[in-house]
């Protein structure tokens, strides 16, 4: 197929000359509100869950084992990440599962941090189940970050091929942080500085014990501060330790 560059020029000029409304709002709306004539600017929180040493896992000769591990991992990470009214996008990028949420309230941020703790605990359960089958264990880094982002509907008008593009720090930072988790002495859950502040604020507001700050360790990555922990959900973790009996 040849590209009709003259028609392409017309389409680009239509986009560049078209009136576009940037709607500033604390929250990012659902897909139905997005058009090719608007964009939104609001609070976004992203979670990325990235398998460590995936190239080594994928290179194993037992393709059945690899397939079962990846399907088990992606199935339950997606289950934990979905089910929120503020979920705006969820998907898989290679060996990474991610989700993007609108987070206009600080409580939204804390609730999403709890999801990270569930994921961290799930990884412990998954590895016990994998060991019972004689399969390789896996580790993951979990990145969480929040920022105000510009969100646009991008693609080719009328083609049915389009998607949202997240322009800002939340998605990029969460992805980068997930690549640091469970590596070089960094805990599995890694959060941005702004996320850490909100998490501590909400926890201390709802609890008399203010030592929660000790759950985050401070480290540096290329002279940039990061905060990490190995937090698990107590009841879930206890059930795993007791043999996961149903």
């Amino acid at each position: 197929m040849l590209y009709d560059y003259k028609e392409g020029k017309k389409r680009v000029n239509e986009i560049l000359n078209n009136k576009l409304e940037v709607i500033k709002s604390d929250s990012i709306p659902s897909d139905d509100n997005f058009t090719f004539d608007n964009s939104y600017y609001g609070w976004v929180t992203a979670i990325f869950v990235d398998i460590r040493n995936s190239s080594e896992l994928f290179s194993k000769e037992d393709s059945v084992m690899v397939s079962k591990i990846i399907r088990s991992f992606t199935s339950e990470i997606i289950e934990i990440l979905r089910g929120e009214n503020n979920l705006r996008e969820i998907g898989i990028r290679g060996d990474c599962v991610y989700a993007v949420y609108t987070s206009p309230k600080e409580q939204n941020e804390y609730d999403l941090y709890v999801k990270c703790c569930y994921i961290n605990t799930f990884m412990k359960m998954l590895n016990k189940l994998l060991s019972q089958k004689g399969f390789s264990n896996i580790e993951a880094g979990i990145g969480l970050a929040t920022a105000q982002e510009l969100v646009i509907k991008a693609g080719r008008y009328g083609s049915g091929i389009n998607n949202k593009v997240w322009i800002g720090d939340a998605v990029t930072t969460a992805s980068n942080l997930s690549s640091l988790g469970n590596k070089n002495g960094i805990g599995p859950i890694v959060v941005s500085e702004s996320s850490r502040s909100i998490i501590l604020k909400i926890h201390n507001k709802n609890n008399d014990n203010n030592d929660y700050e000790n759950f985050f360790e401070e480290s540096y990555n290329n002279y940039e501060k990061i905060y990490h922990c190995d937090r698990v959900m107590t009841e879930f973790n206890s059930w795993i330790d007791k043999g996961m009996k149903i």
Side-chain angles (χ1 to χ4, degrees):
M1 170 186 157
L2 296 177
Y3 171 59
D4 189 337
Y5 49 86
K6 293 182 180 179
E7 287 299 316
K9 177 189 174 184
K10 291 180 183 178
R11 287 192 295 268
V12 171
N13 274 329
E14 285 177 3
I15 294 171
L16 296 178
N17 295 327
N18 189 32
K19 183 179 179 181
L20 177 70
E21 181 183 14
V22 177
I23 302 169
K24 294 185 178 181
S25 173
D26 285 341
S27 62
I28 302 296
S30 60
D31 286 356
D32 293 342
N33 295 88
F34 281 87
T35 71
F36 285 101
D37 298 321
N38 67 18
S39 60
Y40 286 84
Y41 184 79
W43 285 101
V44 169
T45 297
I47 298 175
F48 277 70
V49 188
D50 189 15
I51 297 178
R52 292 282 75 83
N53 301 318
S54 58
S55 58
E56 180 181 341
L57 173 65
F58 295 159
S59 68
K60 292 183 180 295
E61 294 183 1
D62 191 340
S63 57
V64 172
M65 177 192 71
V66 173
S67 299
K68 289 184 175 181
I69 291 174
I70 297 302
R71 282 180 176 168
S72 298
F73 171 79
T74 55
S75 166
E76 296 312 298
I77 300 300
I78 289 172
E79 181 64 22
I80 294 170
L81 292 176
R82 74 181 191 91
E84 297 289 332
N85 290 332
N86 57 336
L87 177 65
R88 293 297 178 261
E89 185 174 321
I90 189 167
I92 302 170
R93 295 181 181 175
D95 60 354
C96 178
V97 181
Y98 73 95
V100 186
Y101 305 82
T102 182
S103 52
K105 299 179 180 179
E106 291 182 334
Q107 183 65 47
N108 299 138
E109 176 86 6
Y110 186 82
D111 292 343
L112 295 173
Y113 166 67
V114 171
K115 283 186 177 289
C116 294
C117 296
Y118 267 108
I119 291 169
N120 190 36
T121 317
F122 161 74
M123 292 303 299
K124 182 177 177 180
M125 180 184 82
L126 175 61
N127 280 325
K128 283 207 170 189
L129 294 173
L130 293 177
S131 293
Q132 290 174 7
K133 293 290 186 180
F135 290 175
S136 300
N137 278 199
I138 60 173
E139 293 182 335
I142 306 161
L144 171 73
T146 296
Q148 285 184 295
E149 295 210 350
L150 178 66
V151 189
I152 65 172
K153 181 178 183 179
R156 170 74 166 84
Y157 179 77
S159 70
I161 302 172
N162 58 76
N163 210 338
K164 293 190 295 295
V165 177
W166 308 85
I167 303 171
D169 292 335
V171 172
T172 302
T173 301
S175 177
N176 291 338
L177 292 176
S178 71
S179 70
L180 302 175
N182 252 327
K183 187 190 296 183
N184 300 325
I186 303 298
I189 301 174
V190 190
V191 304
S192 64
E193 186 168 5
S194 60
S195 293
R196 168 186 172 272
S197 298
I198 294 172
I199 292 164
L200 295 179
K201 178 181 177 181
I202 296 299
H203 179 84
N204 292 336
K205 178 181 177 181
N206 298 331
N207 295 271
D208 294 331
N209 186 356
N210 291 332
D211 69 348
Y212 194 71
E213 193 164 352
N214 296 327
F215 284 109
F216 286 106
E217 294 184 49
E218 182 180 306
S219 298
Y220 286 86
N221 177 60
N222 295 329
Y223 306 104
E224 183 178 353
K225 279 185 183 180
I226 59 171
Y227 297 90
H228 55 99
C229 67
D230 192 7
R231 185 72 167 160
V232 296
M233 302 305 295
T234 304
E235 184 177 345
F236 184 6
N237 190 62
S238 177
W239 176 75
I240 296 170
D241 288 339
K242 291 177 181 178
M244 301 181 287
K245 295 179 181 178
I246 299 176

